[in-house]
Amino acid sequence: DPTKEVAKSRPDVSGQYMPYWPSYSDVPPSSRKAYLDWLSGPRSDVDTYIGYVFLYFYGLERRLMLDGACDDTDIIVAEVRRLLDVYGFNGSFRRYAGALLDAHALRRNGFKEDDAFDFDVDGGELPLNLRMALGIRVRDERPVEPDLLLAFTIGHPETRPRMPARRAFKLLKELFAEQVKARYPNGFYLKSRKKLADLAMNYRAASNTFEVSVMPAGLRVPDVLELETPLALTRALLEECTDKLDAYSRELGKSDGLKPTMAAVAKLPPELRLMEASRLAPNPVDVLHRYAESGQSVSVDLLSKQIGNGPLGEPNRAKLMQMSAMLAAFGFGWTADPTFALKIGKLESTAVVFRLEN
């Protein structure tokens, strides 16, 4: 609205005067100045107050979902995806922008069961296409695939994932899938004792100013958000898997850039440990195998470095015990283990690596 006053200087760059649901007509002149400065540029400054990005996004979603963008559709979708690339680190913006793209695709292309589903550990609201996929499986009495089940469980608004789930999500996904297959060999079914209400496939605007239906014509599926018992079961399973990753997560938090180390991998459950060790460079298990098979002695410090544990520093009982525990986690022992050694070795002291009996 060009009739609205815009400050000539001192823009509200920090967004301190912006309300929660901003409207260009209602924000103060200093905020309009900051917004227009951002809007007139490349709209790519990661330090921009996220409220200005949302103010722009509100116009895009209205044009796309309410006005009927027609020729503008592909341009708007491309712009929202670009904004996601720049500002997707913000959990709130990532959820709303993702919801807009999902709703638009659903209304434009209909529902496709082979669509990929996002795993949002920040929760908030289950994506429409995820709720549709789950509802179809409930309606048709089909089992729910482990990945889809995890997306439902971890993305549910009432689920509060703990740090291991966030810090080691890829491993959580593998562990959860293994547990579901082991406990439910015939598949996990989402069932309810009561009749579930039909899913209302509505897109609620991030601006909170409109709501439109995106339900494909003639399609009716139950709303899984009303389920309680099966969700309690999967949430308990999620907690068990998270517990198994707790020690790994704590050790991972000590490393630079959360980069996996041998010390961290050694604390994984046995079913994940060897696979994750093979992804380290060098693979510590390969190094230990070579020394165990050759019977060649190696200095305490060199072995620590070669298995990716870094320089050991001046050895003491605690450090050597920690090293012994790491080796034992992968099925190896060494003669420098202070539990059996007559004296604490030095950096240049040599040791022999051997396999532990099962």
Side-chain angles (χ1 to χ4, degrees):
D1 185 349
T3 67
K4 296 297 180 180
E5 181 185 357
V6 179
K8 295 181 179 179
S9 60
R10 304 183 69 178
D12 176 24
V13 176
S14 67
Q16 62 177 318
Y17 302 118
M18 291 279 283
Y20 185 79
W21 270 302
S23 165
Y24 182 82
S25 297
D26 297 335
V27 300
S30 61
S31 297
R32 291 195 196 106
K33 167 67 174 168
Y35 172 61
L36 292 177
D37 284 348
W38 174 79
L39 193 65
S40 63
R43 304 181 300 281
S44 299
D45 184 356
V46 296
D47 293 325
T48 300
Y49 172 62
I50 199 64
Y52 295 128
V53 182
F54 267 109
L55 190 56
Y56 176 47
F57 178 76
Y58 294 161
L60 296 176
E61 71 171 351
R62 173 171 285 270
R63 178 68 175 156
L64 186 64
M65 301 301 292
L66 195 62
D67 295 347
C70 299
D71 294 342
D72 299 346
T73 295
D74 291 341
I75 298 173
I76 294 172
V77 169
E79 177 66 352
V80 173
R81 287 175 176 157
R82 186 193 69 82
L83 291 171
L84 264 175
D85 288 340
V86 179
Y87 301 103
F89 62 86
N90 180 277
S92 180
F93 182 75
R94 185 174 66 251
R95 286 195 302 277
Y96 281 114
L100 174 62
L101 294 176
D102 287 343
H104 168 68
L106 186 62
R107 188 169 70 173
R108 186 182 197 181
N109 306 320
F111 177 74
K112 294 182 175 62
E113 279 203 44
D114 57 352
D115 284 347
F117 298 100
D118 292 331
F119 289 82
D120 193 346
V121 294
D122 292 324
E125 189 169 341
L126 289 175
L128 290 176
N129 58 351
L130 174 60
R131 291 169 68 182
M132 177 72 81
L134 292 164
I136 287 176
R137 284 155 178 77
V138 172
R139 182 197 66 188
D140 298 343
E141 298 183 350
R142 290 161 47 191
V144 181
E145 302 86 335
D147 283 357
L148 189 57
L149 196 60
L150 178 59
F152 172 50
T153 305
I154 206 167
H156 194 279
E158 296 179 7
T159 301
R160 296 291 180 268
R162 294 188 283 118
M163 181 57 71
R166 298 168 179 274
R167 190 175 278 167
F169 180 75
K170 177 177 166 294
L171 294 178
L172 175 74
K173 187 176 174 182
E174 294 178 12
L175 194 58
F176 187 87
E178 289 178 359
Q179 292 297 312
V180 170
K181 292 174 183 176
R183 298 190 186 191
Y184 305 96
N186 296 321
F188 187 94
Y189 293 80
L190 292 175
K191 296 181 179 180
S192 176
R193 293 180 179 177
K194 64 178 181 179
K195 180 177 174 57
L196 300 177
D198 286 344
L199 173 62
M201 295 291 284
N202 294 334
Y203 174 74
R204 187 184 303 112
S207 62
N208 203 33
T209 57
F210 69 89
E211 188 171 333
V212 294
S213 174
V214 294
M215 173 66 82
L219 185 62
R220 293 182 61 183
V221 296
D223 189 354
V224 297
L225 278 184
E226 294 191 12
L227 293 171
E228 295 180 0
T229 302
L231 182 62
L233 293 173
T234 59
R235 195 175 279 146
L237 185 56
L238 172 63
E239 281 297 304
E240 288 182 31
C241 294
T242 303
D243 287 341
K244 290 185 176 183
L245 295 173
D246 196 40
Y248 170 79
S249 174
R250 288 198 302 271
E251 193 67 41
L252 194 63
K254 301 175 185 177
S255 64
D256 293 334
L258 299 179
K259 185 178 180 180
T261 62
M262 183 189 180
V265 172
K267 295 183 181 298
L268 282 172
E271 58 266 38
L272 296 176
R273 196 177 299 155
L274 291 178
M275 178 61 70
E276 284 307 296
S278 69
R279 293 169 178 165
L280 299 177
N283 182 345
V285 179
D286 286 347
V287 174
L288 295 172
H289 266 302
R290 287 198 299 271
Y291 279 116
E293 291 175 0
S294 68
Q296 177 186 353
S297 62
V298 59
S299 74
V300 170
D301 190 48
L302 179 60
L303 182 61
S304 180
K305 293 175 182 176
Q306 287 185 336
I307 62 175
N309 192 47
L312 195 60
E314 192 59 35
N316 56 38
R317 182 178 177 84
K319 290 180 180 179
L320 293 176
M321 288 292 289
Q322 184 181 39
M323 183 82 165
S324 299
M326 280 191 290
L327 267 60
F330 296 99
F332 295 91
W334 64 334
T335 55
D337 188 335
T339 305
F340 310 108
L342 295 177
K343 61 180 180 178
I344 302 300
K346 300 182 180 300
L347 284 178
E348 64 274 10
S349 299
T350 59
V352 174
V353 176
F354 53 89
R355 291 193 63 87
L356 297 173
E357 294 184 2
N358 293 330

